[in-house]
Amino acid sequence: VAPMVTERYDPDYKMDHKYRGLALIFSHEHFDNAKLTRRVETDIDNKNLTEELKKLDFSVQLYKDLYHKDVMKTIRKTADMNHKDHDCILIAVLTHGECDFVYARDTYYRVDDIWNAFTADNCPTLAGKPKLFLVQANQGKLRDAGYQMAKQTQTDSDSNASYRIPIYADFAITFCTIPNYCSWSDSIKGSWFIYSLCQELSANGKQYDLLMLLTFVAQRVAVDFETYEEGFKQIVCTMSTLTRTVRFADR
Amino acid sequence: VAPMVTERYDPDYKMDHKYRGLALIFSHEHFDNAKLTRRVETDIDNKNLTEELKKLDFSVQLYKDLYHKDVMKTIRKTADMNHKDHDCILIAVLTHGECDFVYARDTYYRVDDIWNAFTADNCPTLAGKPKLFLVQANQGKLRDAGYQMAKQTQTDSDSNASYRIPIYADFAITFCTIPNYCSWSDSIKGSWFIYSLCQELSANGKQYDLLMLLTFVAQRVAVDFETYEEGFKQIVCTMSTLTRTVRFADR
């Protein structure tokens, strides 16, 4: 049993706890496996993301180049904490990956190990609160050749005192790209996804609800970026089991 | 190259074409495989869904108990049509399934065969328009035991005359449950997902944007329903690559 943080039919998550909550960033630049290139863009991503998340009142913790056992130790420690005074949690993973796997410094692991630690039964003090995940990692080797759009002449129940929720409710997981496709980055701006996310959070982060923000992040990545030589494109993908709207309004 | 149906940075999809567009419902009650139970709830789902989609001005086509080759023939024919006067497309699949597969009358098939037919390169007249999919099917055998909540004392770019988009942009795919979990239905109301979707469309369909509507559908399913004996729960999951907001306002 978890405390009922929102009334049964509230349209919005309660976002006025004592604290906004933790934001963990697991950032990987160097890898033991020589086949994995150094991620030079991760420093600028870390900087941008930390700055924007602090503006939204998150308490940001940056972890660089952790070994897999230390990633999981940090995840378990965080899931075991008492988050009762927190609105929500956000976890970002910036690394190499393929499909359902991402790389720590020494080895790959299933990225869903991260969110499975925060289901309502595993982390009761976050039950009924938004649990937000950002994954900046290739999901495979396929590349999106894009599609050209050009202007043309226009032609055309019971009691409300107690209730139960599914354990996987209240998650939003955003991948920088869809399964099997790769993602891109820019040596100055950082990865397209984190750069666009930070631009959107800076412009509208306290104004729009989260799913609308993420829609406009997808628009920025889809429309504004393509690779120089081949013109490859990238589409951001969000999986949501949220049951209310998330807003990071001023506290 | 596809006609630019929305300006490059429009926040909303253009929803004032001559027609709203097609809504295809592939509904399965009977299966050749004797291990697959008859889906008695599908008739009420068909009726509710048809009614609500018509209210939102969709041109609804209901296909019952098709063989796999006829499902795919219908999909290909629809993808080959000229949708230039349509706002969007919606396809609902109501059947049995497991993980990434769903059952036609005679055999199972990959559910992503359905949306892959409508990528921007495969279906240019829907490029840059919302492509919406609803999947009412078990995704596996796991069952969500739920979690109790109880009240307690409160403690970059160039010209705008032409632009390119990723081919997988502008999709929203809603599954009645998350991967590996099963879904439920009620003998009178129909499946929890379609019933809740229809309730939400009826209440707020012309008012809220689509991702907000789907958030409240997830809330209805998560909070209002559980199995009688064991108290199992279900969570609706939406995957979005939308790049603008979708609104079904009056035309």
Side-chain angles (χ1 to χ4, degrees):
Chain A
V1 183
M4 194 191 294
V5 287
T6 37
E7 292 292 321
R8 183 163 179 156
Y9 295 107
D10 274 353
D12 305 313
Y13 288 104
K14 182 169 148 48
M15 298 298 272
D16 61 353
H17 293 85
K18 196 165 170 195
Y19 306 105
R20 179 70 81 213
L22 301 182
L24 278 60
I25 304 174
F26 294 98
S27 170
H28 292 273
E29 181 173 359
H30 302 96
F31 301 87
D32 292 351
N33 183 334
K35 281 190 203 151
L36 297 172
T37 55
R38 185 179 151 213
R39 294 185 63 255
V40 288
E41 69 274 21
T42 204
D43 270 348
I44 181 76
D45 283 351
N46 295 343
K47 184 177 159 292
N48 289 340
L49 195 54
T50 301
E51 198 172 296
E52 293 306 325
L53 292 175
K54 279 185 174 166
K55 280 197 224 160
L56 300 181
D57 303 306
F58 279 97
S59 171
V60 182
Q61 302 177 351
L62 176 62
Y63 297 95
K64 291 169 89 166
D65 287 340
L66 292 196
Y67 289 101
H68 175 237
K69 73 168 182 359
D70 296 320
V71 172
M72 292 318 297
K73 200 185 288 177
T74 309
I75 289 293
R76 275 189 300 267
K77 208 185 71 190
T78 307
D80 287 343
M81 283 178 53
N82 188 337
H83 299 263
K84 79 175 172 56
D85 292 333
H86 297 181
D87 291 341
C88 62
I89 192 165
L90 184 149
I91 297 180
V93 181
L94 316 180
T95 184
H96 286 304
E98 37 199 88
C99 266
D100 301 332
F101 294 86
V102 291
Y103 282 91
R105 180 164 172 173
D106 53 335
T107 182
Y108 59 87
Y109 63 100
R110 287 190 63 94
V111 64
D112 54 10
D113 285 351
I114 293 191
W115 42 87
N116 288 338
F118 296 94
T119 53
D121 51 345
N122 283 331
C123 183
T125 58
L126 286 172
K129 299 178 180 182
K131 291 165 277 284
L132 314 175
F133 299 85
L134 305 170
V135 184
Q136 166 56 47
N138 276 357
Q139 291 219 70
K141 296 201 189 315
L142 290 176
R143 297 181 297 189
D144 191 320
Y147 200 78
Q148 185 79 28
M149 313 287 286
K151 262 190 190 154
Q152 300 196 353
T153 330
Q154 203 79 359
T155 43
D156 343 358
S157 87
D158 36 27
S159 150
N160 291 339
S162 155
Y163 67 98
R164 297 168 69 252
I165 56 165
I167 59 171
Y168 278 99
D170 309 310
F171 282 81
I173 303 169
T174 303
F175 298 91
C176 59
T177 183
I178 52 169
N180 302 317
Y181 277 76
C182 58
S183 65
W184 305 95
S185 61
D186 180 295
S187 54
I188 293 151
K189 293 180 173 174
S191 57
W192 297 357
F193 168 50
I194 299 295
Y195 178 82
S196 302
L197 175 75
C198 290
Q199 294 278 102
E200 184 62 28
L201 288 180
S202 175
N204 302 309
K206 297 183 176 183
Q207 208 175 327
Y208 297 156
D209 75 87
L210 179 74
L211 293 183
M212 193 170 288
L213 288 170
L214 292 169
T215 297
F216 294 140
V217 172
Q219 178 178 135
R220 286 172 184 267
V221 173
V223 171
D224 288 349
F225 288 94
E226 59 186 53
T227 61
Y228 290 114
E229 286 179 21
E230 317 87 335
F232 288 121
K233 303 293 285 184
Q234 177 180 330
I235 183 69
V236 169
C237 177
T238 295
M239 282 187 55
S240 166
T241 64
L242 296 177
T243 59
R244 306 170 199 282
T245 63
V246 177
R247 288 177 200 276
F248 300 117
D250 275 325
R251 312 176 68 74
Chain B
V1 183
M4 196 190 292
V5 287
T6 38
E7 292 293 319
R8 184 162 178 157
Y9 295 106
D10 274 352
D12 305 312
Y13 288 103
K14 181 170 151 44
M15 297 299 269
D16 61 353
H17 293 83
K18 196 164 170 197
Y19 304 104
R20 179 69 81 214
L22 301 183
L24 277 59
I25 304 174
F26 295 97
S27 170
H28 292 273
E29 180 172 358
H30 302 96
F31 301 87
D32 291 350
N33 183 335
K35 282 191 200 149
L36 297 171
T37 56
R38 183 178 151 214
R39 294 184 64 254
V40 287
E41 70 274 22
T42 206
D43 270 347
I44 181 77
D45 283 352
N46 296 343
K47 184 176 159 293
N48 289 340
L49 195 54
T50 301
E51 198 172 297
E52 293 306 325
L53 292 175
K54 280 186 174 167
K55 281 196 223 159
L56 300 180
D57 303 308
F58 279 98
S59 170
V60 181
Q61 302 176 349
L62 176 62
Y63 298 94
K64 290 168 90 166
D65 288 339
L66 292 195
Y67 289 101
H68 175 237
K69 72 167 185 358
D70 297 319
V71 172
M72 292 317 298
K73 200 186 287 177
T74 310
I75 290 294
R76 276 191 300 268
K77 207 185 71 191
T78 307
D80 288 343
M81 281 179 53
N82 189 339
H83 299 262
K84 80 176 172 53
D85 291 334
H86 298 180
D87 292 341
C88 63
I89 192 166
L90 185 148
I91 296 180
V93 180
L94 317 180
T95 183
H96 285 304
E98 37 199 88
C99 268
D100 300 332
F101 294 86
V102 292
Y103 283 91
R105 179 165 174 173
D106 53 335
T107 182
Y108 59 86
Y109 63 99
R110 287 191 64 94
V111 65
D112 52 11
D113 286 350
I114 292 191
W115 44 85
N116 287 340
F118 295 94
T119 53
D121 51 347
N122 284 331
C123 182
T125 57
L126 287 171
K129 300 179 180 181
K131 292 164 277 284
L132 314 174
F133 299 85
L134 305 170
V135 184
Q136 166 55 46
N138 276 358
Q139 292 220 68
K141 296 200 188 316
L142 291 176
R143 297 180 298 187
D144 191 320
Y147 200 76
Q148 186 78 27
M149 313 287 287
K151 261 192 189 151
Q152 299 196 355
T153 331
Q154 201 81 355
T155 52
D156 318 1
S157 63
D158 32 29
S159 149
N160 290 341
S162 155
Y163 66 97
R164 296 169 69 253
I165 56 165
I167 58 171
Y168 278 99
D170 310 309
F171 282 82
I173 303 169
T174 303
F175 298 92
C176 60
T177 183
I178 52 170
N180 301 317
Y181 277 77
C182 56
S183 65
W184 306 93
S185 61
D186 181 294
S187 53
I188 293 151
K189 291 180 173 174
S191 57
W192 298 357
F193 168 50
I194 298 295
Y195 178 82
S196 301
L197 174 76
C198 291
Q199 294 278 103
E200 185 62 28
L201 288 180
S202 175
N204 303 309
K206 298 182 173 182
Q207 208 174 328
Y208 296 156
D209 76 86
L210 179 74
L211 294 183
M212 191 169 290
L213 288 170
L214 291 169
T215 297
F216 295 140
V217 172
Q219 178 178 135
R220 287 172 184 267
V221 173
V223 171
D224 289 348
F225 288 94
E226 58 187 53
T227 60
Y228 291 115
E229 285 179 21
E230 317 87 336
F232 288 120
K233 303 294 283 185
Q234 178 181 328
I235 184 68
V236 169
C237 177
T238 295
M239 284 187 56
S240 166
T241 64
L242 295 177
T243 59
R244 309 173 196 280
T245 62
V246 177
R247 289 177 201 275
F248 300 117
D250 274 325
R251 311 177 67 77

